[in-house]
Amino acid sequence: MDPTQISTLLGETGSDVLTFLEGLLRRWNLYQIGISLVALSIAILSGRYLRARMRDWMRGLEGRPKWQLRWLLAIEKRLVLIVWAVLLWGIFAVMHEVTWPSRSYLIAILARIVSAWVVVELVVQLVKNRALRRLLRWGLWAYVTLYFFGGIEGAAEFLDSVAITFGSFRLSALAVLKALVVTGVLFTLAKLVSRQTSTQIRRNEDISPSMKELIIKVVQLALFGSAFFIGLKAVGFDLTGLAVLSGAIGVGLGFGLQKVVSNLVSGVIILLDKSIKPGDVISLGDTFGWINALGARYASITTRDGKEYLIPNEDLITGQVVNWSHTNDFVRLDIYFGTAYGDDPHLVRKVAIEAAQTVDRVLKTKPPVCHIVGFGDSSVDYILRFWITDPTDGLTNVRGNVYLALWDAFKAHEISIPFPQREVRVLDGSTLVTKALD
């Protein structure tokens, strides 16, 4: 559309706005506006009172699901708007019966708009992202307001007039807006379907954990990919042109995004070969913890001290990974200690084994063993080996409990733990001086 047509359209829109404003200045229309403002003032005062009472009532709720509390909180924050809508509908019902229908027309329109605003406020709570939720709220408010005032066609014509042209392809603001709305709705639906599908797949006990993650990733890729391409189609974009674009993207991936592609491929390999899976306890370098989730680019590992490490999938493929629970949950731990040469080694071994068996987490079905591993400078050195099946509960704490059990057992049997002795000699001709401290 050329500038002359845009000016003409703006002139027609301005004329319609002036006509609408002149209609509002009529006496009974002004009365309706005043009545609506009075209803708004009453709604603000009563809404604040009801919000305080509802807040006190909500504090006493216990054991309710989070989604119920979230919706109650959303209603509590919008009580003023809800009360205003109720008052407007009540006023309209009374005026519609006692006076001419035209004298309550504006109140009816405003009641519909406010009611639609309330519905919009509750619907947008389904969107978790705050920025997207705010954008959606204002967009729906504008749409329902224009709809009830009959301004949809004029707004659509104006947005369609703002356009740019590339050869035979015309892209208007209206088409972009439609594409954003369609894509947003599709992405939201894809997210909801993906979440429900993921929950159902994870509940299926017949599928291995690694295959569950692989199926979930494939489903997510299919859903979000479909939403993206349908959004492009809604704009009128020719999808056959994506062939050249995909070729350029492939070249870019080959040169600039090697690590990203490597991590993606490594993630698929990990899910297929089942080398690690969510819930496994692994060690990678100095990192020891259990796997929370396997992503497309990284694995989330939580350690005993509460830190969460995001390990690239490529490191899990190329690096040396210790999987403490790959084929089974049995883990053998070793601790070293020494006793004096004067203690009977047969007694020491027996006492050490019995002490280890008193620790709760040490397996009784795979008994501990104790062996002499050497004769040190000041002690006979031993190794005590025992098994556990719960590495996710930590390794250092079970070792500490076994050491404490050894300490108590050695003390009860008068077995000594030697330590290096230091001898100080005063050479001939030296003077030893002592000084009292004040």
Side-chain angles (χ1 to χ4, degrees), residues 25 69 105 114-115 160 210 260 306 312 329 363 385 398:
L25 296 178
L69 297 176
Y105 176 72
V114 176
S115 300
D160 188 62
S210 56
V260 175
D329 295 330
L363 292 180
R385 289 175 169 171
V398 68

Side-chain angles (χ1 to χ4, degrees), residues 93-223:
V94 173
M95 294 184 64
H96 188 73
E97 294 296 330
V98 301
T99 186
W100 299 103
S102 61
R103 295 180 178 180
S104 59
Y105 176 72
L106 286 180
I107 293 179
I109 293 179
L110 188 58
R112 294 189 183 97
I113 292 175
V114 176
S115 300
W117 286 353
V118 173
V119 174
V120 167
E121 285 289 338
L122 297 178
V123 169
V124 297
Q125 297 304 311
L126 298 174
V127 181
K128 303 301 181 183
N129 186 278
R130 180 177 297 181
L132 182 60
R133 183 168 63 245
R134 185 177 300 173
L135 179 63
L136 183 63
R137 176 188 294 116
W138 285 103
L140 290 177
W141 275 8
Y143 177 82
V144 297
T145 304
L146 290 174
Y147 175 81
F148 286 111
F149 279 115
I152 292 294
E153 294 183 0
E157 291 178 0
F158 174 75
L159 292 175
D160 188 62
S161 66
V162 181
I164 54 177
T165 305
F166 300 98
S168 59
F169 179 73
R170 181 177 181 274
L171 182 63
S172 66
L174 180 62
V176 173
L177 181 60
K178 287 181 178 179
L180 291 175
V181 172
V182 172
T183 305
V185 172
L186 290 175
F187 266 85
T188 302
L189 293 176
K191 187 175 181 179
L192 293 174
V193 173
S194 174
R195 185 181 303 169
Q196 295 297 324
T197 304
S198 301
T199 302
Q200 294 299 324
I201 293 175
R202 288 193 174 99
R203 290 177 179 174
N204 194 329
E205 300 296 336
D206 298 330
I207 307 175
S208 63
S210 56
M211 288 304 298
K212 289 179 183 178
E213 296 298 325
L214 180 60
I215 294 173
I216 289 172
K217 300 304 177 188
V218 172
V219 171
Q220 290 176 346
L221 181 62
L223 289 174

Side-chain angles (χ1 to χ4, degrees), residues 245-262 264:
L245 179 61
S246 60
I249 292 176
V251 175
L253 291 176
F255 287 98
L257 300 177
Q258 297 181 19
K259 288 292 184 182
V260 175
V261 176
S262 176
L264 291 173

Side-chain angles (χ1 to χ4, degrees), residues 363-380:
L363 292 180
K364 308 302 185 293
T365 56
K366 297 173 75 68
V369 295
C370 183
H371 301 288
I372 296 176
V373 294
F375 298 104
D377 294 337
S378 57
S379 66
V380 179

